[in-house]
Amino acid sequence: MSLLKPFSKLPGLNSANILLVESKEEFQQSLADALVQETAFTVNVRLAKSLPLPMENEESRPRIDLVAFIIDLTSELSFQSTEASLKCLDPGYFLGKVCFMVTNARNAAAPIERLDAVRKLAASLHCPLLFTEDQTPDGVTNATERLLTILKVAAGLVPMATALYLSNLTRSTVSPDIDQPSFD
Amino acid sequence: NFNTVSSIKVGVCVCVCVCVCVTSSATRTPLNNVGVQRRSKSYRLSYRSCLGTAASRLGLTPALTARRLNTSRRALKPHGVAEKVDPEQLALLVKTEWQLSYVTPLHQFRHTQLKSYSRRLAAFIAAGKQQGLAVAVENPQTTFRVSFSLVEGMTESADDAETVLIQIHARPSFAGQDEPQRPAWSGWLTCVNGNPDYLRSLPKDFTCLPLFGSSGAEGLGALVKSWFQQSFDCCFGPLEVSHTSLQWLMALWTNCHTEASIQHLKMIWTLPAVPPLEVTYTVNPEDAWELWRSVRKQKENRGGGGEEEENCIDIEEVADFVQGLKSHFYRHFRLDLSAGSLNQVSTALGSAKHSGRMKISNSRYMTTTLTLLTESALLKMPI
């Protein structure tokens, strides 16, 4: 099984590469359009439905600095596909180069158990968990800004800050009673 | 690699907490059998308190209401509901489709004053009609007769308040005396096996009847709700039957197949295609029972055992059951139902829709269904 490795290639000059993985392939398009608007450095956005990535592009693919998994809470398939994709990442990515984005968290059709499961997943992997809103342009802009902050650090463009250091500050935690309902 | 690293860290924290709790609860354990339940409660309190400092550092306050449904519950038993409850009232409750809502606790609601409540509600409806609020009736001359009645015997524990049934009959001025009257609107407020900690924590004057079902003319229902809101300072809100609750109902109803045949297990899924695809998936009851039995047997093999556990169903078994149904569907139609959402579940014992409509067709299994729905209503309480 081909793992995606974080440090097997040389980085580009003043550029950052981000991979957006989403099973539904809706939000990643609008997010990508907003991400490339960044002018301070070159942002290359790669889109994928799931991992592992196809072998044909292996040579031409640049070094991926940040892998962002987009999970739609109203669809169980989205969560299951993300879990399966996580197995195709080299462990080196989990030192600050992975982040989870969750959409539709406020939707009544999203069961609470799924959100808890995503929280536990992000906490166990020490990755940040971002809640985003994908239907309005404001929501897309907000999500882009937050992603860019993490991407800049992950690509090494921020002096004195590494991805591992930032992940210690941004990683998701779960409250101690997440497994235990208050009711007996 | 990364998994083991993270799990080691977590494991250390958990071990520390567990040791503290066990020692503190051991000193409190009394010697008789009654203490068994108390011990688990003191364990829970000390677990909370030892994490209390951590919780306060993170700024979390333990809320009184739960955040999710119980992960395991007792299997349905055919209860003697038919013996305990008046059969006439029972007949009114089953075989009708109810729209569910949740209600916050009622202030100064007295079960002894039901007659005066009927009069006040009738006056309120008459006043509303005069003001021109929309009440759909054919004959503008109809007067409404309201009756509040107590349905005794539906609750099990002493903490639950008794169920109240409300019926509104339209009495047209020119109708004959012997016409059988179907109520223009009927509704009920109930609390079945509500969480005793929450119920006991409410202040003295409050009655908790969190589950409200209504069926009939919409305008009358809205009038009844606003009367309740005015008289008892409570709030009504829509109650959806969540995805997890629907899965629980599927499993619980299938579990009864040996005692009362479910006749079919029908699910309606909606898939987000363009245009949206609606899938009605009907399973033969025998096959559903076989699948459920094999899931239960797997759990037994895996480690459960003992009398208590045979009656308890865990959420993992429910999830396995539903996963089995979905993978069977995928094998035949190459459509993964995980991509869609479950909208409706129905068997011969009842049906439930995600939008909050529910019907109970068999009164024998009413209690557990209502327990599940009461739990989901209590989850929606604002505090």
Side-chain angles (χ1 to χ4, degrees):
Chain A
M1 181 167 49
S2 64
L3 298 179
L4 193 62
K5 295 196 192 323
F7 298 115
S8 54
K9 300 189 188 177
L10 293 176
L13 194 58
N14 204 31
S15 70
N17 306 307
I18 181 172
L19 174 66
L20 300 175
V21 182
E22 183 186 8
S23 150
K24 264 195 176 174
E25 296 182 313
E26 289 169 357
F27 187 31
Q28 56 183 197
Q29 197 53 53
S30 45
L31 201 54
D33 291 333
L35 277 169
V36 297
Q37 307 286 333
E38 172 67 28
T39 49
F41 54 97
T42 318
V43 179
N44 298 318
V45 183
R46 313 284 268 188
L47 306 177
K49 185 165 175 166
S50 68
L51 296 174
L53 297 174
M55 294 291 293
E56 301 85 49
N57 296 347
E58 191 70 44
E59 294 305 318
S60 59
R61 194 182 303 135
R63 182 178 93 152
I64 302 286
D65 296 312
L66 181 67
V67 181
F69 289 96
I70 302 177
I71 302 177
D72 182 0
L73 279 185
T74 51
S75 148
E76 194 172 341
L77 183 62
S78 180
F79 181 53
Q80 286 173 347
S81 140
T82 304
E83 277 185 316
S85 303
L86 282 171
K87 301 191 179 85
C88 304
L89 274 185
D90 185 78
Y93 267 106
F94 293 97
L95 301 173
K97 288 175 179 282
V98 171
C99 100
F100 291 94
M101 292 182 75
V102 166
T103 62
N104 271 333
R106 285 184 290 195
N107 198 328
I112 307 180
E113 287 77 12
R114 206 171 289 158
L115 177 57
D116 284 345
V118 173
R119 271 216 165 100
K120 279 195 263 192
L121 180 68
S124 68
L125 297 172
H126 295 256
C127 298
L129 178 63
L130 305 178
F131 289 86
T132 60
E133 196 261 292
D134 57 337
Q135 306 288 338
T136 63
D138 271 343
V140 174
T141 318
N142 281 336
T144 313
E145 282 171 25
R146 295 161 82 190
L147 259 191
L148 279 174
T149 316
I150 306 181
L151 177 62
K152 270 196 270 197
V153 175
L157 299 170
V158 177
M160 306 307 280
T162 61
L164 184 55
Y165 179 63
L166 185 66
S167 77
N168 263 328
L169 302 176
T170 57
R171 66 190 180 91
S172 158
T173 51
V174 290
S175 63
D177 58 355
I178 194 169
D179 256 332
Q180 194 174 26
S182 307
F183 292 172
D184 234 338
Chain B
N1 318 357
F2 54 85
N3 261 334
T4 49
V5 167
S6 53
S7 62
I8 288 172
K9 257 180 73 176
V10 170
V12 165
C13 303
V14 170
C15 283
V16 166
C17 294
V18 166
C19 294
V20 169
C21 299
V22 165
T23 49
S24 62
S25 64
T27 54
R28 277 189 249 181
T29 309
L31 290 172
N32 50 352
N33 285 348
V34 181
V36 169
Q37 199 183 5
R38 241 188 286 153
R39 171 173 50 184
S40 67
K41 192 166 174 197
S42 69
Y43 168 90
R44 186 158 53 93
L45 286 176
S46 53
Y47 172 77
R48 273 264 191 83
S49 62
C50 84
L51 293 165
T53 47
S56 59
R57 244 187 291 132
L58 290 172
L60 300 166
T61 42
L64 210 54
T65 49
R67 292 177 53 226
R68 67 201 67 75
L69 297 173
N70 283 350
T71 48
S72 75
R73 56 189 72 242
R74 301 227 160 284
L76 282 172
K77 297 189 284 275
H79 272 277
V81 177
E83 291 112 48
K84 287 195 283 174
V85 184
D86 181 26
E88 268 184 32
Q89 287 176 327
L90 207 59
L92 291 168
L93 290 173
V94 300
K95 298 216 194 321
T96 321
E97 192 169 53
W98 304 99
Q99 177 71 44
L100 298 172
S101 320
Y102 70 87
V103 191
T104 56
L106 305 162
H107 180 61
Q108 291 195 333
F109 179 84
R110 304 265 175 271
H111 284 112
T112 48
Q113 295 194 3
L114 295 182
K115 276 224 173 357
S116 100
Y117 293 156
S118 331
R119 268 178 274 129
R120 279 157 60 180
L121 182 54
F124 185 78
I125 294 179
K129 215 156 61 88
Q130 277 204 333
Q131 281 176 6
L133 294 172
V135 176
V137 277
E138 307 82 25
N139 193 347
Q141 304 268 348
T142 52
T143 50
F144 290 103
R145 179 170 60 86
V146 178
S147 74
F148 275 63
S149 39
L150 204 61
V151 182
E152 298 189 357
M154 274 180 56
T155 60
E156 299 200 335
S157 72
D159 291 314
D160 294 334
E162 292 289 347
T163 308
V164 176
L165 175 67
I166 309 158
Q167 286 174 289
I168 302 184
H169 293 269
R171 200 195 308 142
S173 337
F174 309 116
Q177 285 292 342
D178 48 351
E179 240 176 55
Q181 282 198 344
R182 245 173 29 106
W185 182 89
S186 52
W188 42 265
L189 283 160
T190 186
C191 176
V192 180
N193 281 332
N195 175 250
D197 288 329
Y198 178 74
L199 292 176
R200 276 181 227 144
S201 73
L202 291 174
K204 269 256 180 265
D205 273 334
F206 283 91
T207 315
C208 184
L209 287 164
L211 192 60
F212 175 72
S214 85
S215 129
E218 277 298 313
L220 284 175
L223 277 173
V224 172
K225 284 189 198 171
S226 52
W227 181 78
F228 266 96
Q229 285 178 333
Q230 280 181 16
S231 316
F232 304 111
D233 195 22
C234 60
C235 273
F236 281 74
L239 180 68
E240 302 97 20
V241 185
S242 72
H243 181 247
T244 319
S245 305
L246 286 172
Q247 290 184 329
W248 269 114
L249 286 173
M250 269 168 62
L252 290 170
W253 282 334
T254 310
N255 197 38
C256 302
H257 180 63
T258 43
E259 291 149 354
S261 162
I262 57 175
Q263 277 168 28
H264 58 259
L265 174 63
K266 187 164 87 139
M267 296 165 269
I268 300 188
W269 296 78
T270 318
L271 293 170
V274 174
L277 187 65
E278 191 180 271
V279 173
T280 307
Y281 182 11
T282 311
V283 181
N284 194 358
E286 302 301 332
D287 300 333
W289 171 246
E290 278 301 317
L291 180 63
W292 177 245
R293 215 160 50 108
S294 67
V295 168
R296 292 283 275 168
K297 216 180 301 189
Q298 255 192 349
K299 178 209 171 187
E300 264 178 48
N301 294 346
R302 234 183 290 156
E307 279 291 319
E308 274 294 310
E309 308 242 353
E310 271 180 26
N311 253 341
C312 260
I313 305 181
D314 288 327
I315 185 76
E316 287 95 18
E317 297 172 277
V318 177
D320 285 342
F321 178 62
V322 180
Q323 189 54 44
L325 290 170
K326 282 197 262 190
S327 47
H328 175 80
F329 193 84
Y330 184 73
R331 242 179 281 131
H332 284 267
F333 297 102
R334 282 278 175 258
L335 273 180
D336 195 348
L337 291 172
S338 308
S341 53
L342 180 57
N343 276 347
Q344 183 179 340
V345 172
S346 64
T347 64
L349 297 177
S351 77
K353 294 193 190 142
H354 178 72
S355 58
R357 305 191 77 88
M358 184 268 297
K359 173 157 76 162
I360 298 180
S361 314
N362 188 334
S363 62
R364 292 167 87 207
Y365 299 99
M366 212 162 65
T367 312
T368 317
T369 314
L370 287 178
T371 310
L372 178 66
L373 293 171
T374 308
E375 254 184 62
S376 0
L378 283 175
L379 279 181
K380 288 251 195 173
M381 292 291 139
I383 34 154

